[in-house]
C-alpha cells in the first residue's frame, strides 16, 4: 500500500525522523536521459523557504540514485533505487508530544490501525514523504518533456484571497506571503488552493472505466497530505451549470493529429476518461497546517485530557510547499498513462 | 483497466447496446448472506424515473447471479458472476449520429484511443455501465450493514439551487424536480451536487500513503460519468480556512473503542488517510447531461462540419440518477478497505 | 484471486454445477479479428472424448460472447465478457458424496478455508473451470497467430509409457488409448506427461526479475488441476548436467532480427527470464484423476470413517484433456508478455 | 516487474556492480519482532563459501534497515526499506567481456529487450539480486516462525549423484563437495537439485484458481537464476503413477484442527491449490553455472565471431548457494498467503 502507478510504479519507504527516506521507481523505459540536477532543483522547490511563513527546518535534500542509470545518466530499463537522507532530524523536538494525540494529525488513527507508534515525529504520515514523490515525479518528467508535455502548478488562493481566474497561471506572491506571514505570526496556519495546467498531452490517454484519467489524477492529488478537494474542468461549478452553455463544440483543425479541435474547454481536456488533446487543468484545496504554534487542548494515549505545547518546526503554509508535489504527482500519473497507451516515445535514444 | 478494488475486486464488461452487461465480484468472504431483492431495489433506484426530467428509456433491470452463492443466498467465497440484460436496446435510435462526434461525449477520444467504434450508442462509455457498479455495490453492502455501517447519498444542489447545509441529509424534491423539468422542457440539461454520509466506519480503515481512504473515495467518485469534483470534510472551503478554527480537538469518550471522540469533524472522518471513527462525508459535482434535445453543431469522423440532430432517450439530469451510484461506489471502497484491515467480520455465519 | 495476467487479464467465475461458467478477458487490443468458430473448435478439443478412457459427461461447450466485439468479429479494445452454459449438470449424481471428503480432492481444504460448501460437485475446484481458460486462450491466439507465433502441446507420456524424445512432437495415440482404457476398465486412473512447444516468439519477451518468462509459464501450468511438475529447456535433467556440455553457443545469423542464433537450445528459448528467439519448450506432469470408480475409504465432515462409493462421470485420464488447456494457458502468458513488451502488433487492422 | 507478492510485497533494485542493491518489503503487519542478526545469518549462508567449488568473490553482506522498525526491532506496519552495499565490486574484471555475448547468460536477451547495457557485469540479471530476496525472506520468517512454521532446504543431487530419497532431509556434504570441486578444477560447472520441506503450514492457505499455492511456489522458484524445473508432491513421477496407489486417504485425528489427517502425503501438502495441514515438499533443479573458467566461442554485439576468455570470480555450483534462496522465496510465498488468509497472527505483540 505504498505503491503508486501500474506501468510506472513508485514504491516508497521512510519515516520522517529515521536515517533516510527513499523509493524505487520501476517501469522507466530504457534509453531515457535523466538529469539529476533537475531532480535536485525540483526537490529544492519543495524545501521550506526562507520566508517567515515556512518551517525553519533545514532540508537541503539531494537525491542519491543507487541503480537503474548508466554513468552518463541514461535509464537501463531496470528499477531506479533512490535515497534522500534525513539530515536534520531532531527527534527530541517531538519527545514531549510523544504521549499525546496531536489534534488534526494521524496520531490517533495510526494508534487505532497499528497499535504501535514511531518513537517521535509523524512517522510515515509526515509530509516528509512527499520528497520521495517529488524526486520520482521529476524523474518521470524525463519521459514527458521530450514528448512536448509540460506541467505547471501555482498558488491560486490562500485564506481570504483567491485569484479572479484560478487557471490563468498568474499568482500574487506579495499577497500570498503577507497572508501566510500573518497567520504564522499569530501561531496560526492557513489553507491554500493550488491550480495546475498540463499542456501537450496527446489525445487518447486514460481508460474509459476503472482508470479514467481524472480518476487517477484525483487519487494522486488526494494522496497529498492535507488535500481536501479535487476538481477539473468545470469543477464544482458544474453542479450549477446548464448543458447548452458548457458544451465543447468540436471544430475542424487540420493542424492536429485527430483533425479537430474544440471551440471551448469546459471538459478540462478529458472526455469519457480519456484525454482529448486540449490542456488538462485542475485544482486542489489544502487545509491549514494542522500543527499550530500555540497550546492546544487534547488527550493522551490513555484518553486523559492534556495540553499540547508547541514544539518542533512547522510550516504555517503546507499548501505553499505543495506546488511541486502537485506537479510531481501529475507527472507520475501522466507518465504512467503514457506508458499504458503503448505510444512510441520520442525520448528513447537508440 | 475495468477492475476496481484490491481485496474486493469488481471487473465489468458490456456495451450499452449489446445483449447484456455484467461483472465478476471477486473477494467476497464466505458465509455472508446476500439478499437479491435488495440488489434489485438498489438497481431500481438508479433506473430512469417516471418524472419528466429523466430518460424515457425503460430499464427494468434485474440482476442474474450465475455463481458464488448457495441456493439460500450465502456466499461461497468464490467469485460472484452476474449479468444484467439490456432489454430495451434500440440501436436504430442512434444510427444517424454514428458518423458524428457528439459534443461533450467520448466519441472523439474513443476514436483517438481505439481507432474503432461500437456500431451504435456510447458503447463502453455509456452510463449504462453504472448499473454494474450499483449491483456490485449493493452486494458489498451485505458485508457492511451487519457491521453497523450505513451509506446514504442525496441531491444537495441542482443548477441555481443549493442546500444551505449540503451535509444535512435534507433534500428538496419539489425544487429539484422543477429545475430538472425546466431544463428538459427547453431541450437543455442541468448539473447537480450529490452529497454522501457514511456512518459507523470503525477507526483504522485506510492506508497512510498510497491508498489513503480519501484517495480511494476520490478515485471511485471521479470514475462516475460526468463527475467533475470531489471534496470531503472541509472540502474546497479548506483553502480559505485558518487552522485555529478548524482543529478537531480529541476529547475523552468511554463509549468508543479508542476511548476518545472529537469535538468537531472538520476532518470528515479521515485523518492521515485513515478513518477516525467519526462520520465520513463528502460531495461530488456532476456536469449537465452532455446530450441535448436540440440541434448541435459538430463535425463528422472526417472532421467536416455537421449538425447533430436530437435522437434517442436521455436524462436531463444525470446527477439525479447518480445518487445510488455514489452510494454503490462508496460501498465498494469501504468494503475493500474493511477486508484490507483484517478485522473480523460480524456478518460471517458459521 | 481469480484473475490471470497483467496486461491481458482473464477473470473467471463459475461453479461446476451452477447455470454457467464464464469470464472477462480485459486488455485485448482493438482491431484484432477473433474467429468464434476457432474458439469453439479449441473448446471441442477439451471436451470429453468418445473413447472409453474419458468421462461420459456431455459437454458440448459453445462460447457466448457478450461484449467487446463488433458484429463482424473485431475487438473494440473493451473487455470481452463471455459465458459457457453448464448444459449437462446433474447435481443428484453427487448427492451421496456431499457429506464425505473425497480422497485427493479439494473437499477438505475448501472446508478448512471457507467453512461452507457448494451443495454438490467440486464447485470451483472442478476441472470445468478450465473451459473458461481454453476459451480465453483461444481468443488470445488471435493476437499471437498473426505475429507468426504458434503453440502446440501433446501427450509425451502416460503411465508406464514415455516418448523417447518428449519434445519431438510425436505422440502414440494407440498406446495412449490402450493404457488409459486399461486403467478405466479396472476402475483406476493414470497420470500423463504433456509437452509443449511455442514457435515464433520474438526475442525480448519477459522480465528479468519478478516476471521471468519461465516463472509466468510455471505459474500458469501449475494452476492447471492435477499438474505436479513444470520443467523447461534442460528441465530436471539440468541437475545432472555439466556446463561445458550444455552451453548454447551464439553464432552469426543474418536472417534473424538480432543478427545471431544459437548452435543449441538447452536454454529452452529463454535466457535470464527473457525469450531469445529460439523455440520455447516445456513439459508438465499430471497426476492420475483423483476420482476412482471403486469404493474408497474416507471420512465424513465430522471426521467419522466412511466409504465413498463411485458415482458421477469422470475421466480416467485428466492429463489427456489437459492438452488444449496447456496450450491455452501458454497462449495467455505469451500474449500478456507480448502486450507488456510494447512491440507493435501486426494483427491490428486500421 | 520487480515486485513479488500481493499482501507482503517485495520490490527490489540494484545492479550487481553498482554501489548497492536493496528493496522495500511492504505489508509487514505491525508489532512483529525482527531479529536483524538472523537476517545477517541467512545472508551469510548465501555467501560464497570458502570451499573450492565456489566463487572467491567476497560478499560479507550485512543488511542496513532504513525504515519500518522501532529501535528495539518491532515492525511499525510501515514499509521496511533496506540496502546491502556492493562492497567488493570490481567492474574491471568484466571489462574485456563487455562487448561480447557470454554464452548461456542474459546478455543477448537484455540487448534485444532494452537496447542498452550496464557497463559491466550481469547488471540486473546477476545472481547478486538473490541477496535481496534472502534478506526479505529472512524478515518474513519473523511472521512464520512464531506460528510454528519452519522451512528447510538442502542439496539432494549434484551432477551424477542423487539422494535415494530426495525428501529425507539428508544431504552428503562430502560427495557434494567432491563433485563441485572436480568440476571447478576442470574449469567446468555442474548442476544441482535442491529439495525443500515446509512444516507447520495450517490448512486453508492458497487460492483455488489463479493463486494456487503450488502455482505461487512454482513462480517463486522459477524466478531463481538457473532454475529449470519445479515439482511438488508426486512431482514428475506423477505422469507414471496410477490413482489407486497414490490416493491420500483421510483418517480421523482428534489432535488436528480439522479433525482429520491423511494416511499418506502424495499430494505434497496441497489439494486443490490449498494447504491441507500436511508437510509441503518440493524440489527445484538448477542448471550448471553458465560462466566457465575456460575459453568459450561466442559473438560480439555486432554478431562477429569471438572468443570469451575466462575472467572474474564465479561459482562452479550455483545450485549450492541457491539453498537459502529457495528457503527465502518459500518464506515470502507462505507469508504472503498467510496474510491473505486473514488468520490472526500469534506473532503480534500488543
Amino acid at each position: 500500500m505504498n505503491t503508486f502507478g501500474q506501468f510506472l510504479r513508485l514504491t516508497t519507504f521512510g519515516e520522517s525522523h529515521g536515517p533516510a527516506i527513499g523509493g524505487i521507481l520501476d517501469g522507466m523505459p530504457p534509453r531515457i536521459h535523466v538529469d539529476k540536477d533537475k531532480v535536485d532543483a525540483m526537490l529544492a522547490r519543495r524545501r521550506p523557504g526562507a520566508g517567515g511563513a515556512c518551517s525553519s527546518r533545514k532540508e537541503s535534500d539531494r537525491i542519491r540514485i543507487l541503480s537503474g542509470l548508466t554513468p552518463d545518466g541514461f535509464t537501463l530499463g531496470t528499477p531506479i533505487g533512490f535515497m534522500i537522507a534525513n539530515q536534520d532530524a531532531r527527534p527530541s523536538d517531538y519527545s514531549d508530544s510523544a504521549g499525546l494525540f496531536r489534534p488534526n494529525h494521524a496520531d490517533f488513527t495510526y494508534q487505532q490501525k497499528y497499535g504501535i507508534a514511531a518513537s517521535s515525529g509523524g512517522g510515515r504520515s509526515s509530509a516528509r514523504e512527499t520528497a520521495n514523490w517529488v524526486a520520482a515525479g521529476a524523474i518521470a518528467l524525463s519521459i514527458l518533456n521530450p514528448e512536448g508535455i509540460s506541467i505547471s502548478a501555482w498558488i491560486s488562493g490562500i485564506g481570504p484571497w483567491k485569484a479572479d481566474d484560478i487557471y490563468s497561471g498568474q499568482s500574487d506572491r506579495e499577497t500570498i506571503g503577507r497572508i501566510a506571514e500573518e497567520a504564522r505570526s499569530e501561531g496560526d496556519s492557513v489553507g491554500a488552493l493550488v491550480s495546475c495546467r498540463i499542456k501537450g498531452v496527446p489525445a487518447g490517454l486514460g481508460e474509459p472505466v476503472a482508470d479514467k484519467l481524472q480518476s487517477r489524477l484525483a487519487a494522486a492529488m488526494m494522496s497529498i497530505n492535507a488535500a481536501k478537494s479535487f476538481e477539473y474542468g468545470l469543477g464544482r461549478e458544474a453542479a450549477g451549470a446548464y448543458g447548452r452553455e458548457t458544451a465543447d463544440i468540436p471544430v475542424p483543425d487540420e493542424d492536429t493529429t485527430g483533425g479537430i479541435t474544440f471551440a471551448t474547454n469546459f471538459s478540462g481536456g478529458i472526455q469519457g476518461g480519456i484525454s482529448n488533446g486540449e490542456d488538462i487543468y485542475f485544482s486542489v484545496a489544502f487545509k491549514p497546517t494542522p500543527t499550530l504554534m500555540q497550546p492546544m487542548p487534547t488527550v493522551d494515549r490513555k484518553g486523559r485530557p492534556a495540553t499540547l505545547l508547541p514544539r518542533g518546526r512547522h510550516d504555517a503554509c503546507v499548501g505553499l510547499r505543495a506546488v511541486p508535489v502537485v506537479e510531481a504527482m501529475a507527472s507520475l500519473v501522466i507518465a504512467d498513462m503514457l506508458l499504458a497507451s503503448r505510444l512510441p516515445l520520442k525520448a528513447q535514444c537508440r
Side-chain angles (χ1 to χ4, degrees), chain A residues 2 9 19 59 85-86 96 144 163 190 205 236 241 246 281 287:
Chain A
N2 290 275
R9 291 169 298 283
E59 296 185 12
N86 284 334
D96 284 0
L144 301 181
V190 64
L205 300 201
R236 198 173 71 178
T246 56
Y281 59 91
K287 71 173 182 181

Side-chain angles (χ1 to χ4, degrees), chain A residues 25 47 54 89 102 136 150 176 182 241 247 278 299 303 305 315 338 340:
Chain A
L25 186 64
R47 213 154 52 196
C54 283
R102 294 170 297 165
S150 65
I176 293 165
E182 279 174 8
E278 305 289 315
V299 298
D315 300 317
L338 184 65

Side-chain angles (χ1 to χ4, degrees), chain A residues 43-68:
Chain A
L43 278 171
R45 288 175 53 210
R46 183 196 154 277
R47 213 154 52 196
C54 283
S55 163
S56 56
R57 173 170 173 160
K58 194 174 121 204
E59 296 185 12
S60 57
D61 293 331
R62 284 185 196 286
I63 190 174
R64 186 178 172 213
I65 293 179
L66 298 166
S67 68

Side-chain angles (χ1 to χ4, degrees), chain A residues 144 149 198 201 205 213 280 330-338:
Chain A
L144 301 181
I149 300 171
I198 311 174
V201 175
L205 300 201
L213 191 42
I280 293 169
S331 171
L332 288 170
V333 169
I334 301 294
D336 192 27
M337 290 309 219
L338 184 65

Side-chain angles (χ1 to χ4, degrees), chain A residues 106-116 122-126:
Chain A
D107 298 345
F108 172 68
T109 54
Y110 267 58
Q111 180 65 36
Q112 291 300 105
K113 183 176 180 66
Y114 297 114
I116 191 171
R124 188 80 181 131
S125 73
S126 163

Side-chain angles (χ1 to χ4, degrees), chain A residues 139-214:
Chain A
I139 295 172
L141 281 175
S142 308
I143 306 175
L144 301 181
N145 289 343
E147 304 292 320
I149 300 171
S150 65
I151 300 172
S152 175
W154 63 92
I155 299 290
S156 55
I158 178 171
W161 177 81
K162 194 176 148 193
D164 293 336
D165 174 1
I166 64 170
Y167 294 117
S168 69
Q170 304 296 318
S171 205
D172 181 340
R173 273 173 173 272
E174 200 176 334
T175 302
I176 293 165
R178 178 181 53 76
I179 293 172
E181 173 56 26
E182 279 174 8
R184 193 202 60 80
S185 66
E186 293 171 25
D188 204 350
S189 61
V190 64
L193 188 68
V194 176
S195 294
C196 183
R197 184 176 290 270
I198 311 174
K199 288 174 174 289
V201 175
L205 300 201
E207 299 290 329
V209 174
D211 287 278
K212 288 189 167 80
L213 191 42
Q214 68 270 35

Side-chain angles (χ1 to χ4, degrees), chain A residues 151-344:
Chain A
I151 300 172
S152 175
W154 63 92
I155 299 290
S156 55
I158 178 171
W161 177 81
K162 194 176 148 193
D164 293 336
D165 174 1
I166 64 170
Y167 294 117
S168 69
Q170 304 296 318
S171 205
D172 181 340
R173 273 173 173 272
E174 200 176 334
T175 302
I176 293 165
R178 178 181 53 76
I179 293 172
E181 173 56 26
E182 279 174 8
R184 193 202 60 80
S185 66
E186 293 171 25
D188 204 350
S189 61
V190 64
L193 188 68
V194 176
S195 294
C196 183
R197 184 176 290 270
I198 311 174
K199 288 174 174 289
V201 175
L205 300 201
E207 299 290 329
V209 174
D211 287 278
K212 288 189 167 80
L213 191 42
Q214 68 270 35
S215 174
R216 292 291 303 277
L217 285 169
M221 297 306 145
M222 296 306 290
S223 298
I224 304 176
N225 307 47
K228 302 299 282 187
S229 75
F230 169 84
E231 55 190 313
Y232 84 104
L234 274 175
R236 198 173 71 178
E237 312 311 329
Y242 284 87
R244 191 147 41 184
E245 299 158 1
T246 56
D248 291 329
I249 305 297
V251 291
D253 182 351
E254 290 182 357
D255 293 344
T256 64
T257 324
I260 73 169
T261 186
F262 294 87
T264 52
N265 186 13
F266 293 111
S267 296
I270 305 172
Q271 287 169 329
I274 302 168
S275 62
N276 69 356
E278 305 289 315
D279 285 4
I280 293 169
Y281 59 91
F282 61 87
S283 63
V284 185
F286 291 89
K287 71 173 182 181
T289 308
T291 304
L292 301 182
M293 289 297 109
Q294 52 184 276
M296 298 279 286
T298 186
V299 298
D300 66 14
R301 284 174 189 272
K302 296 194 172 164
R304 295 171 302 204
T307 298
L308 180 74
L309 299 177
R311 285 262 180 155
R313 300 141 300 169
H314 290 277
D315 300 317
C317 56
V318 66
L320 301 191
R321 289 178 63 193
V323 171
V325 183
V326 165
E327 292 178 3
M329 294 308 277
S331 171
L332 288 170
V333 169
I334 301 294
D336 192 27
M337 290 309 219
L338 184 65
L339 295 179
S341 76
R342 308 181 84 246
L343 293 171

